[in-house]
Each structure stands twice: as C-alpha cells, then as structure tokens.
Amino acid sequence: MIDTHAHLTEKVLYEDLDNIIKKAKEFGVNDIISVGMTNTHNIRAIKIAEKYENVYATVGIHPNEATREKLDLNLLREQANHKKVIAIGEIGIDLYRNKETLEIQKKYFIKQIKLAMELDLPIIVHSRNSAEVIYDILKDYKGVKGVMHCYSEHPELVSKFIDLGFYISVGGIVTFKSAEVVRDIAKMIPIDRLLIETDAPYLAPMPYRGKRNEPAYVKYTMLKLAEVKNINEKELVNIMRENTYRLFSKMKRKS
Ligand code: NI
C-alpha cells in the first residue's frame, strides 16, 4: 500500500518517526507521501524524505496559511527540483475555515497551479466547502494533473473532476458509520482514478477514530474501500499502486 497523503511534519508524528515508519512497514505500507503546507513544513518534509528511503515529499502553501505564509515561487521551484519532491501541495481553497480570505487564497492557488504546470508536476488539492470554486479554476488550466485529496463534498462534482483528468483520494472518513456520502463518492470514482490516504495525524479511520492517525492505518481504509467497491483486497492494492505511480511519476517504483 501507499499512503498518498500524510503530514509527517506535524509534531505528534515528527517526534516519533522511526516508530511510525517501522509500524507502517509492518502493516504493508511501502511508500508514504509527506505533504507540505508552510515554508517550515516544506523544508521539514524534504528532510524526512532525504532520511527515509520510502518517504517522498511535496511542497506548497496550504490555503489556510495564505495570509500568514509568504508565497516564494522561486524557492518552491528550487525545492520542487529535488529528486524526492514529487508534487505541489497541498494547495487549494478552504471556505469553511477562511471564507474572508478567498481572494488571496485564489491568488496563491492559481500561482501554484501555474508552477506545477511549468514543472510538469501533479498538484494535491485541498477543498473544503469550495469544490465548485476549485472546479471553476481548474477547468481554466487544462493539462494540470492532480488529486482531490480526502474528497467529501458534492458527489455530483466527482465526474467533472474525473473529466478534467483528476484522481480522487479517499481517507479514513469512509470507515465512519455516518459517512454514507463518502462511501457513495467512493463508489462513483472509476477504479483507475482512485487513491488512498490517511491525512495523518488527522482523521484516523475506525477503530482508531479520534486517536492520532498514522500511515499504518491506511490499511483500515483500504479494507473498507475493498468492501465498498466490492473488489478483492489484493487487486485493489495493486490497482491503487499503479494509479499512484501513474500520477506521481517521479516516485521510484518498488514493485
Ligand atoms: Ni492534508
């Protein structure tokens, strides 16, 4: 399995990395993508990727940081050229937590989309209460590739993001009893566009809901997804691995 979205740079994980990465391997998680979000976290993500062979990094400024963090495109470009930096992210729009900063969020998002296109890297998109706004932006940048991470908004937009060439990533919420919408979304995602993630340390799947999440637990999300998609677990893991390598083409194939 590959955890395509974890925040190993967050203190609760960062302080315990040796154990977390060892446990992930024991659970069958071979690769982890450590997603950046601020200038400090981006640097730290790269350091982790340099230290651990099976960890990759991404760099970007998260929409909820748009008013606090400087967007230095030259720095991001330089970091993105690192051999283990495989995507720009996470970037996007958040109208749940920061409705009043939409204009600056848009500016940051668009500039980072353009950078990803220039570097031919995929983007990792954060969307909260903002899927329509994001769709309207992305459709103007045909050719950019990427993933809607932990997608849990309008199911009717799933096919539109798919038509743009995007992948959709499912996280631990799919295991929650009340998350019928996320299971409906998972059913709608074509199998060749499906990715899996933890978003650790947040959103731990059942039976760890409410606890610290970590890459190992992507396994529980995978088991639930296999049930929802009515597909053999091994086959699902293989397909999602192919999907991950197809989208994040800078990753080094393990098998
Ligand atoms: Ni995230």
Side-chain angles (χ1 to χ4, degrees):
M1 282 169 284
I2 300 171
D3 181 358
T4 66
H5 192 118
H7 296 283
L8 299 184
T9 58
E10 289 283 27
K11 201 163 176 263
V12 285
L13 298 180
Y14 189 60
E15 288 178 341
D16 196 18
L17 268 187
D18 282 339
N19 287 325
I20 279 162
I21 285 167
K22 189 166 156 257
K23 186 162 157 195
K25 280 185 183 157
E26 285 163 9
F27 275 64
V29 181
N30 300 317
D31 286 319
I32 302 163
I33 299 177
S34 185
V35 176
M37 51 194 171
T38 67
N39 288 303
T40 309
H41 284 266
N42 294 341
I43 292 169
R44 194 181 290 168
I46 294 172
K47 274 195 188 139
I48 296 171
E50 282 172 344
K51 184 170 175 197
Y52 298 94
E53 183 267 334
N54 63 329
V55 176
Y56 294 84
T58 77
V59 294
I61 304 297
H62 192 288
N64 286 332
E65 306 290 343
T67 48
R68 287 188 288 268
E69 287 288 316
K70 187 173 173 233
L71 177 64
D72 182 341
L73 291 172
N74 287 328
L75 175 63
L76 287 179
R77 185 180 291 110
E78 194 184 303
Q79 291 170 327
N81 280 323
H82 190 289
K83 67 176 194 289
K84 292 200 84 181
V85 174
I86 59 160
I88 300 296
E90 63 186 272
I91 61 176
I93 309 271
D94 190 319
L95 294 179
Y96 176 79
R97 262 175 287 185
N98 289 298
K99 214 172 180 165
E100 63 294 338
T101 63
L102 175 62
E103 283 318 307
I104 181 160
Q105 289 189 52
K106 267 188 177 169
K107 202 171 107 190
Y108 272 49
F109 187 35
I110 290 169
K111 282 186 173 173
Q112 293 179 95
I113 291 171
K114 287 181 177 168
L115 178 68
M117 292 179 82
E118 172 200 320
L119 299 170
D120 196 26
L121 286 176
I123 58 175
I124 295 175
V125 180
H126 169 99
S127 169
R128 200 152 175 211
N129 286 10
S130 53
E132 285 115 334
V133 183
I134 287 176
Y135 177 76
D136 279 338
I137 293 171
L138 289 179
K139 73 172 169 24
D140 289 337
Y141 293 93
K142 290 250 162 60
V144 68
K145 32 182 196 165
V147 54
M148 297 300 296
H149 115 80
C150 229
Y151 187 77
S152 56
E153 291 184 64
H154 313 286
E156 59 274 22
L157 278 174
V158 168
S159 61
K160 291 187 139 192
F161 286 118
I162 295 295
D163 287 345
L164 286 179
F166 267 68
Y167 291 68
I168 312 270
S169 169
V170 174
I173 299 174
V174 77
T175 67
F176 298 176
K177 256 210 179 83
S178 58
E180 217 39 71
V181 178
V182 178
R183 282 186 287 278
D184 286 342
I185 289 170
K187 282 179 198 154
M188 293 168 70
I189 305 168
I191 196 85
D192 64 339
R193 296 292 185 82
L194 180 68
L195 295 179
I196 196 169
E197 66 170 272
T198 57
D199 206 15
Y202 317 105
L203 296 170
M206 297 293 283
Y208 296 101
R209 186 172 181 178
K211 304 256 164 58
R212 180 188 81 175
N213 198 3
E214 54 180 289
Y217 299 162
V218 82
K219 184 172 181 180
Y220 299 101
T221 303
M222 185 279 290
L223 292 173
K224 177 53 93 181
L225 257 181
E227 187 191 309
V228 169
K229 299 291 273 181
N230 194 20
I231 180 174
N232 171 282
E233 290 154 19
K234 230 180 172 170
E235 197 183 333
L236 178 65
V237 168
N238 285 338
I239 292 169
M240 290 193 299
R241 185 200 302 117
E242 291 308 309
N243 295 347
T244 307
Y245 287 141
R246 197 183 313 116
L247 177 63
F248 300 108
S249 55
K250 266 178 88 176
M251 282 177 81
K252 243 171 80 196
R253 174 172 280 275
K254 295 255 166 28
S255 52

